[in-house]
């Protein structure tokens, strides 16, 4: 099962009004609803959402689940859904969730999910014990000198694999 309902179309994704609902679904769906197996502990992440606040305005959300499902939603409309049918995207998403376990302990439990400010990045760790978050300035993550930089770069790998896939489709 994908984070986005299977009935979602390209038109749905292109609609900027769909973004808040898609993001909210990614942050509130249960592990059982996405049919993922139980993690090794209640605080082991089975999903991750990374929200990035663009300096020029707008937000992107990258979602990854432990089964290799990965989606990218843009507040301006558009994005990519699922990805698990493509081995490189699936591998990147699975590796990301494995890495998320290393960072979850340093995150704080949250009950609300605000969007990041301009130039900010928020990671939301989805676990059976609830949602945990950690945030950082994007500039510090890009420089690699923030404790969450490795996690940020693992999310960038998911994005890169989607770009590679999109370019290969465009060439056909």
């Amino acid at each position: 099962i994908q984070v986005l309902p299977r009935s979602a179309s390209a038109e749905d994704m292109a609609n900027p009004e769909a973004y808040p609902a898609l993001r909210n679904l990614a942050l509130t769906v249960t592990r059982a609803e996405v049919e993922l197996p139980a993690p090794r502990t209640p605080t082991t992440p089975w999903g991750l959402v990374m929200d990035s606040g663009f300096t020029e305005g707008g937000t992107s959300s990258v979602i990854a689940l432990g089964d290799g499902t990965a989606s990218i939603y843009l507040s301006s409309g558009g994005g990519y859904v699922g990805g698990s049918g493509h081995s490189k995207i699936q591998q990147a998403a699975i590796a990301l969730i494995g890495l998320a376990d290393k960072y979850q302990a340093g995150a704080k439990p949250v009950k609300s999910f605000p969007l990041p400010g301009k130039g900010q990045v928020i990671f939301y760790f989805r676990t059976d014990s609830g949602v945990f978050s950690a945030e950082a300035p994007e500039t510090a993550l890009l420089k690699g000198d923030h404790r969450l930089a490795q996690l940020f770069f693992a999310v960038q790998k998911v994005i890169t694999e989607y770009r590679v896939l999109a370019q290969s489709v465009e060439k056909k």
Side-chain angles (χ1 to χ4, degrees):
I1 293 180
Q2 299 175 5
V3 171
L4 180 70
R6 292 184 191 279
S7 60
S9 67
E11 288 177 11
D12 294 330
M13 289 295 296
N15 181 354
E17 294 176 10
Y19 174 78
L22 295 171
R23 179 179 176 271
N24 185 61
L25 180 62
L27 289 163
T28 60
V29 69
T30 67
R31 181 179 51 79
E33 289 172 328
V34 291
E35 301 177 357
L36 293 174
R40 103 187 123 69
T41 71
T43 57
T44 298
W46 51 262
L48 182 84
V49 175
M50 184 188 86
D51 288 338
S52 298
F54 301 134
T55 55
E56 64 278 0
T59 308
S60 70
S61 296
V62 179
I63 295 91
L65 300 178
D67 66 352
T69 300
S71 298
I72 303 171
Y73 307 145
L74 305 173
S75 64
S76 60
Y80 303 97
V81 180
S84 60
H86 302 281
S87 64
K88 296 217 179 202
I89 294 170
Q90 185 176 23
Q91 291 166 9
I94 291 170
L96 171 59
I97 297 303
L99 185 61
D101 190 33
K102 177 179 172 183
Y103 295 94
Q104 185 279 329
K108 62 181 182 196
V110 294
K111 298 285 184 196
S112 62
F113 318 111
L115 289 168
K118 292 180 179 182
Q120 290 293 116
V121 175
I122 303 175
F123 297 92
Y124 291 102
F125 301 83
R126 301 299 320 278
T127 76
D128 284 355
S129 291
V131 181
F132 295 79
S133 78
E135 60 185 283
E138 186 177 38
T139 54
L141 294 169
L142 287 168
K143 288 179 188 174
D145 58 6
H146 192 279
R147 69 175 187 81
L148 296 168
Q150 189 178 5
L151 188 62
F152 176 79
F153 291 126
V155 174
Q156 297 306 312
K157 176 70 172 160
V158 171
I159 295 168
T160 297
E161 293 304 337
Y162 261 117
R163 286 182 178 149
V164 169
L165 175 64
Q167 289 171 351
S168 71
V169 169
E170 287 174 8
K171 288 181 182 178
K172 291 182 180 181

